[in-house]
Amino acid sequence: MQRIGVFVCWCGSNIAATVDVQRVAEELKKEPGVVFSADYQYMCSESGQNLIKDAIKEHALTGVVICSCSPRMHENTFRKAAASVGLNPYMVEIANIREQCSWIHKDKATGTEKAIILGRAAIAKVHLNAPLIAGESPVTKRALVIGGGIAGIQTALDIAEAGFEVDIVEKSPTIGGKMAQLDKTFPTLDCSACILTPKMVEAAQQEKIKIYSYSEIDEVKGFVGNFSVKIRRKARYVKEDICTGCGLCTEKCPQKKVPNEFNMGMDNRRAIYIPFAQAVPKVATIDPNYCTMLKTGKCGVCSKICGVKAIDYTQQDEIVEAKYGAIVVATGFNPISPAKFDEFAYSQSPDVVTSLEYERLMNAAGPTNGTLLRPSDGKHPHTIVFVQCVGSRCDGAEKGKPYCSKVCCMYTAKHAMLTREKYPDTDVYVFYIDVRTPGKNFDEFYRRAVEEYNVHYIKGMVGKVVPENGKLKVQAADLLSNEQLHIDADMVVLATAVEPDPSARSLATKLTASMDTNDFFTEAHPKLRPVESPTAGVFLSGMCQGPKDIPETVSQASAAAAKVIGLLVKDKLVGNPCVAHSDELLCNGCSSCEKVCPYGAITYSDKEFRMPDRTTALRRVAAVNPAVCQGCGACTVACPSGAMDLFGFSNNQIMAEVDAICK
Amino acid sequence: MQVENKEFKPLIVAFCCNWCSYAGADLAGTNRLNYPADVKIIRVPCSCRVNPMFILRAFQRGADGVIICGCHPGDCHYTTGNYYARRRMTALFSMLDYLGIEKGRTRVEWVSAAEGQRFAETMNSFVSTIISLGENKRLEDLRCKTK
Amino acid sequence: MTKETLIPLLGVVTDIRADTPDVKTFRVEAPNGGKVFEHIPGQCAMLSIPGAGEGMFSITSSPTNKEFMEFSIKKCGKLTSWLHQMEVGQEIAIRGPYGNGFPVDTEFQGKDLLFIAGGIGLAPLHSVINYCRDNRDKYGKIDIVYGSRSMDDLVDYKEIIDEWCAEDGIDVYLTIDRAQEGWDGHVGFVPNYVKELGFDTNKTAVICGPPIMIKFTLAGLVELGFDKTQVYTTMELRMKCGVGKCGRCNIGDKYVCKDGPVFRCDQLAEMPDEY
Amino acid sequence: MQDKMIARAKELLRDGAVNRVLGWKTGEFVYDITPAVFTSAEELDRDFVFDAFTAANLSKYLVKESKKEGKVLAFLKPCDSYSFQQLIKEHRVDRENVYIVGIPCEGKVDIEALKARGISGITAIEETADAVTVKTVYDEDITVAKQDVLFERCVNCKSKKVVICDEMLGENGEIVDSDRFDAVAKLEAMTPDERFAFWQNELSRCIRCNACRNVCPACTCEKCVFDNVNSGVEHKVAANSFEESLFHIIRAYHVAGRCTDCGECSRVCPQHIPLHLLNRKFIKDMNELYGEYQAGADTETRPPLVNFSMDDCEPSIVYQRGGNA
Amino acid sequence: MYQLSLDNLQNFFRQIAAHEKLYIPTDKDNVAVYAEYAEGMQLTQKLNTNRSAKDFFFPQTENLYDLRMNGKNLEIEDTREACEDFVVFGVRACDVRSFAILDKVFLADPVDSYYKNRREHGTVVSLACTRPEETCFCQSFGIDAAAPEGDAACWIADGSLYIKANTEKGETLLSYVADLLTESDGSAVAAQQEKTRQLLAKLPLANTDFEGMKKTDLMAHFKSPKWAGLSEACLGCGTCTFVCPTCQCYDIREFDTGSCVKKFRCWDSCMYSDFTLMAHGNSRNSQLERFRQRFMHKLVYFPDNNDGVFGCVGCGRCLAKCPISMNIVKVEKALEVQDA
């Protein structure tokens, strides 16, 4: 029988207003095993914690029940308090009488009654709690960054700077990501390449950083501090260590008709290519979908002209297996395709472009060498209509996304401003629902577009774009003046929503990291742990977690790096002791548990047992690796004999709670 | 609504997974979204931790309804837990139905940490289902009813 | 005797003594004072606590004690753990007495008695030893051999030293399994000690302790020339109903709860080896 | 068949391929046959029997037998072979220590079915290919069609194929189309009230003798949860209808995906509770919801309850299925 | 002896049921069970009920008392309700005899008041067998299936029910139905008894003789090498013990309802692996030991303690119900063969 102390928190008036805390404390005092019961204004405060600590010492408590806010808030606080006076932290249970009681009930009698029941359930559970001691595991002092965009680069640089080795895995032939495709960056209008490429070079030169370009993650095993990752280095048919990046092959390759993804398919590249001039690593890659040699075995031009003999048509995918202590996900985003939005005629007219395409049209390295020309006829456009929120903030979410893509307002203002600056003869209209410009110098930037550059901002949505006689007839509503507008535009630019990279979902499965319904990675806590995923040792950087601009991305990247560094400096990790365990005397060896374990934490072995009738028997029994087990409990239900149970959430503990609630 | 049901205060046990639904319930609280006090939540690490024995135990002890809440399929903190829970509960519920136990007494709902509103709505809807079903008579243990 | 065979009576724990690190002695009285029921030495009683179960324990106090009963209980399972943590004033359910008890008013009368106990095995003998002390004129010389793992594990050490050792006509021989600081007495296992001591074979012996100790002590006594009819022992209390009906404590056609737990060793020799 | 089996068993014993034989032993009457281990040719000649009444599934005995010294010969009928293969899948038997001789089965006669026809006082039974003739102590001579007195599991036989063996005696059969789920479907079509009444009536007869559990080749737990005082569901007898249901729900649930539908539970139930209808419900559901699955048909596939697919149906499907109020 | 036309049987039942609760063996889903008489309920045509009649006096579960703990205070409450008078009709000779065996256990000092209560309030009306079955061997225990004991005994012959009171309780019962009864010389009964006895003599187990068991001493039976073979197929289920009219082993357990702890008694089976499991171990670890205990108890220990009366009445239920068809007759034959 435990000696239990009950501590009822008022949480100021948050709890006390709808729960009679004194009565809760009094009633719970009557429960078996309860030797101390008290209420206090703020249990989480220092004096509240002291109250708990003193009671533990004075009454030799073996169990503590705290009736307070959600365990998700302060479970750790109270566990630490208990531990500081020598009580095992896992002898503390929380009855959630705030979020699940006082805040949802208005009637004090109801709230009080429910709080007592919740308290009883926690007491019933604590009776069956056993002191748990967390296991320890070593930390591999190397980090993996998945994605080589600005988020990944920044994270890797920061981690490397702190002295830890870090590998970047990038699925395309070069790092740089989406930022490399941008022309200028808001709100300062400095050249994107000018600020990004030095970082790319730095990453390439940093000794602690190893870049696996043109590579993907095949498999992730292990757990925080001890991940084992299989990286698939896709065959690029060019020996990376030999290729000098001279680019001769990319000029001589006879296959000229390959859409250039770097320029959003608005021009062509060769089958062997270097994505762009500043690519890192600056190594050619053969696109197996277009290479005549790879497809038909006839050609071999590049191989013939390569001075260093770097071409290798026989190259195969290579699997590299490496160990990491931490993994950072920086898989970034893609703009959604506006093809689904028939009303904007994106598929019908080449002059309807996405913002990223427009970005390339404005860029000196782009398909038009930086001159703004209509894709259809190469003529200079005079009237340009920008449409905001294409696919963002959609209600139905069938075609679009329910969320705000966050960066579109600013880049549209940037595009409008740059257009007006370079081509003052151009009329620029921006149709918007709201203009959202919270950020340092953002609103000023937007106002300059309106006030200095005379961009026509119109609140309203474009209803239809009809290509007609070389023009794009734009029908729109001006919600402020409440009139229908008809604009004959030369170009329409769609500020398409962003979405996570499609590779993210399968990666999440491999990492056992969770995602929200939009496939953005979920953070461990939306406010307090925004750069960690709920899976220990997996961190989030950049757009993979949610829409954000470059400054925010870089901030998060550095924050993630800081978290990784904080993890890697540790020599040992203390695990979660609430893990599964197998009672070998009950185990049948049937393997059901092994099959449902998502972590491969269960292994079987034949062991000799002394049976009750004094004979010995060799039996196949399960054992759980506590360092690998994450404590989900899937095995406990798969086990028919009840040999598998979970520390901290044992069958008997949960049933005791059920009993107490139903009493 | 029948008159006789007015007196009936159902007893409802909700098993909520720690990562999504329990957090969803917290969010419902944070947003002061009301749902009946008849619902009492038990925190489990994952919906796959819910053993059919717990559900039967709740009915034995006098529960009128049992609801299991977990992360949306695909969002399980443990990747696959709720997929197993989904099959297990489907099988169990079907068996209970086969034995003639009212179908509505057990339910599985997926509620994410962000769906405080949905949590409250789910609980309101479940409570009203149970009120319309009335007291659990088919899986009761009379020994536990004499208070 | 409990009036209804299976319905217990209330008892109040009025005193708790820690004898050894894992043995406590509990004093039980009726709620209004006095004993819950009368018993004879060697009998036992079923103690129960709702939720923790019930268990059969030897009554360690002598029937000559008119105020209370005592139980010396070793902590080994759910119920005993519960009993060990309870406080004075706790009410418990108690039914009994069960078993045949020692033949203190028949076979034992006028005999020299040799009590041999190991560890918690002293508990059932405690009652009969004190009964004999209180009826000193009915019995001859009393020898007591008692051993335990260590000094700390000797149950009732204080009473043994202060009372038993001080009494005329009683010789107490203590031993512990392994030498220990602060112990200047005998060191060694009980069966060997008994053989070393080499008692007269005209005595009636009573052995209680772990099965292995009983086995070797009995063999030792036989070696010394004792007949099995002179040796008594008391069985492990593996009973449930206590009244010879539930069907599980039988050894052959004998029920431990009715025909035992005290058996003469010659009887035991004729019983199936199922204990 | 019996003679062939005895001959083969004697051969294998003589050759030292096995040191004992698991089979069936004659009893006091024609039909009270006991599973037994034979160690000599004499015993086999004297007591070994294989006929219409050798119904017991021997596979469960192999859990213990396969752990003993030396190899054991076991005769397995199609049903038994599924159970045995499932036990291999669950690592409960040591395959190396068992020599399996597969034997075809044309269905076994249920003595209770005979008795249910009012036949009692049986002194002798004669069996032909399709009829059974009973002599009684009342000097009756009754002949019934065999088909009418077979076990339910045999009437609705799912497979006549021995799925695992070292050798076959006689011709192996094939998996057959059976109507074994019809009775489940019939129950499903009832209203919940009718179903409730049906099962309350059936389960109320349960005396918790554990025959169903102890005979079940899937119930081989080292310690059953119902015997384990720490399991939270332990109880020795059903004190009320709740505990009656609890036992049978949990038992069926624990063997769900593992039950081969061998029908032993219903065969041995002294109270004639159609326990197989519980197990078959799970089998039927899983076949319908997650794809056909036959426990014991192989040793590799994942049982449905330790498996999943991303697009599995939601538990709410139950609200749409089955009989409605 | 009195006579009553079977046409009047429902009236007979109705009139008894008007005074006391009446239980008769009837068919439920093709299983014969004792059920409380309800209007129109028919007597089963089956020889005997699936379960024995011991439930009436020794039910499978019964609450003994409630315990409530409140702080340090304990409350013990005897929750028994007053037992009403009842009549069990149609008990076969074997089952009637089983009550005498149960009496030896439960009414021996100290008396089991739960059992005694029911026994005192119950009137047993036996019914002679006419079609004994192949599994019957009651005659091995000196039971005459054609002349059953009981507070009152009945015969059905030639379309009539014949009834004779043996005890005061039986007389009381007859008084309930006095208006329906006519005096009879019992010649039809005698004729029918003769027929039944002829059948009994022809039964395959008619010559099973348990007296031979007594020729060998306890230890020799206990140590017999036969037990290993006999018990090897035993599943360790409790079927035999639960259908047995004389098995009376029980367990005392508790159930925590949340508001109190109910102490209850329930049937237990010596065949169960945990029957003798205690905190400090198990005295019967193997199925061999458990199997042996059951038969040793019935055939050796019980007679040793009860003037040679065996703990078996030959009802044959275990023969019919054992999942693996191992039973007391096979055991007896195996042990005797060895003795010879």
Side-chain angles (χ1 to χ4, degrees), chain D residues 31 61 201 207 209 234 236 270, chain E residues 29 50 134 233 238 253 268:
Chain D
Y31 59 82
Y61 289 105
N201 179 42
I207 54 173
C209 64
E234 185 257 10
K236 200 161 243 167
Chain E
D29 303 316
N50 245 29
E134 74 275 20
R253 305 171 75 83
D268 205 343

Side-chain angles (χ1 to χ4, degrees), chain A residues 10-18 42 69-70 73 96-107 527, chain B residues 23-36 115-121 124:
Chain A
W10 302 25
C11 196
S13 64
N14 279 302
I15 293 171
T18 28
Y42 289 102
C69 56
S70 171
M73 291 293 297
N96 184 344
I97 63 164
R98 192 179 75 178
E99 282 84 346
Q100 293 174 8
C101 187
S102 70
W103 277 353
I104 49 169
H105 305 309
K106 297 189 182 96
D107 173 43
K527 285 159 240 167
Chain B
D26 279 355
L27 186 60
T30 310
N31 294 341
R32 311 298 198 274
L33 300 171
N34 204 280
Y35 57 88
E115 295 174 321
Q117 178 81 37
R118 185 174 147 79
F119 186 86
E121 281 165 8
N124 279 314

Side-chain angles (χ1 to χ4, degrees), chain D residues 25-29 31-37 56 61 65 111-112 115-116 118 120-123 137-140 201-202 204-211 214-215 223 227 229 234-239 243 267-268 270-272, chain E residues 28-31 33 46 50-51 60-61 130-135 199 202-205 232-239 242-243 251 253 255 264 266-269 272-275 277 319-321 323-327 329-330 333:
Chain D
K25 185 178 176 175
T26 51
E28 289 298 310
F29 318 119
Y31 59 82
D32 64 336
I33 286 157
T34 305
V37 174
Y61 289 105
E65 284 298 327
I111 188 71
E112 296 291 334
K115 289 185 177 174
S120 66
I122 300 166
T123 52
V137 71
Y138 325 116
D139 297 325
E140 296 158 319
N201 179 42
E202 293 294 343
S204 68
R205 288 203 303 273
C206 174
I207 54 173
R208 267 310 296 284
C209 64
N210 290 319
N214 289 17
V215 80
K223 188 171 195 132
D227 290 347
V229 285
E234 185 257 10
H235 60 275
K236 200 161 243 167
V237 293
E243 286 189 331
R267 177 180 74 85
V268 301
Q271 293 285 76
H272 302 293
Chain E
K28 199 178 161 201
D29 303 316
N30 208 22
V31 172
V33 297
K46 294 191 163 56
N50 245 29
R51 294 172 72 166
Q60 191 161 12
T61 60
T130 52
R131 274 169 77 91
E133 296 182 355
E134 74 275 20
T135 51
L199 271 176
K202 276 164 57 185
L203 291 180
L205 302 180
E232 79 184 337
C234 178
L235 299 170
C237 74
T239 308
F242 289 179
V243 297
D251 195 358
R253 305 171 75 83
F255 178 80
F264 66 99
C266 62
W267 292 358
D268 205 343
S269 171
Y272 287 166
S273 56
D274 57 358
F275 181 64
L277 183 66
L319 275 68
K321 296 301 177 189
I324 52 116
S325 300
M326 179 46 67
N327 54 56
V329 172
K330 288 185 184 179
K333 291 196 172 169

Side-chain angles (χ1 to χ4, degrees), chain A residues 355-573:
Chain A
S355 296
L356 194 53
E357 288 164 2
Y358 195 73
E359 199 81 46
R360 295 312 303 155
L361 287 172
M362 299 282 278
N363 187 277
T368 56
N369 298 323
T371 316
L372 180 61
L373 298 171
R374 294 216 306 182
S376 60
D377 52 11
K379 284 188 187 155
H380 174 60
H382 292 281
T383 306
I384 304 178
V385 168
F386 287 87
V387 185
Q388 297 264 62
C389 286
V390 174
S392 294
R393 302 171 70 192
C394 281
D395 285 342
E398 284 143 25
K399 287 195 279 191
K401 305 290 178 183
Y403 50 84
C404 167
S405 295
K406 202 170 186 181
V407 289
C408 330
C409 286
M410 286 303 290
Y411 70 63
T412 302
K414 174 187 78 178
H415 289 156
M417 195 188 281
L418 287 172
T419 308
R420 288 283 295 156
E421 186 171 71
K422 268 175 130 174
Y423 310 102
D425 60 335
T426 316
D427 274 339
V428 174
Y429 298 87
V430 178
F431 286 90
Y432 67 95
I433 305 174
D434 298 294
V435 176
R436 295 179 165 179
T437 56
K440 193 175 172 185
N441 294 327
F442 282 16
D443 202 55
E444 295 89 323
F445 184 81
Y446 153 64
R447 284 212 308 272
R448 268 168 64 207
V450 179
E451 289 159 15
E452 283 180 36
Y453 291 92
N454 291 316
V455 176
H456 306 299
Y457 266 80
I458 299 162
K459 185 176 176 73
M461 205 47 204
V462 170
K464 207 166 176 56
V465 175
V466 182
E468 205 175 291
N469 301 330
K471 287 280 184 188
L472 296 164
K473 297 217 176 264
V474 177
Q475 299 168 19
D478 182 336
L479 293 179
L480 295 180
S481 65
N482 219 353
E483 44 186 315
Q484 287 293 314
L485 297 180
H486 297 273
I487 299 169
D488 284 350
D490 296 311
M491 279 185 80
V492 171
V493 183
L494 304 175
T496 46
V498 295
E499 65 180 357
D501 192 86
S503 65
R505 165 98 7 218
S506 65
L507 181 65
T509 309
K510 288 170 194 155
L511 289 168
T512 70
S514 54
M515 284 187 139
D516 64 20
T517 43
N518 297 309
D519 279 9
F520 285 115
F521 280 86
T522 317
E523 54 282 358
H525 188 282
K527 285 159 240 167
L528 305 177
R529 296 171 70 193
V531 299
E532 295 156 76
S533 89
T535 303
V538 176
F539 302 88
L540 309 173
S541 177
M543 279 269 211
C544 68
Q545 179 256 342
K548 48 180 73 72
D549 58 30
I550 294 168
E552 276 184 317
T553 296
V554 173
S555 313
Q556 199 192 18
S558 292
K563 285 282 171 193
V564 169
I565 294 160
L567 168 61
L568 296 189
V569 292
K570 289 181 189 157
D571 292 320
K572 278 201 152 85
L573 289 178

Side-chain angles (χ1 to χ4, degrees), chain A residues 97-167:
Chain A
I97 63 164
R98 192 179 75 178
E99 282 84 346
Q100 293 174 8
C101 187
S102 70
W103 277 353
I104 49 169
H105 305 309
K106 297 189 182 96
D107 173 43
K108 200 159 184 174
T110 311
T112 307
E113 190 197 347
K114 181 166 169 183
I116 293 167
I117 293 170
L118 295 178
R120 279 195 195 125
I123 292 168
K125 186 176 182 192
V126 143
H127 268 295
L128 300 168
N129 279 23
L132 301 177
I133 293 162
E136 288 182 345
S137 58
V139 179
T140 306
K141 299 201 176 270
R142 177 196 288 265
L144 170 67
V145 175
I146 304 168
I150 180 60
I153 293 169
Q154 185 63 47
T155 304
L157 283 172
D158 286 353
I159 295 170
E161 206 101 308
F164 294 106
E165 306 218 16
V166 50
D167 295 353

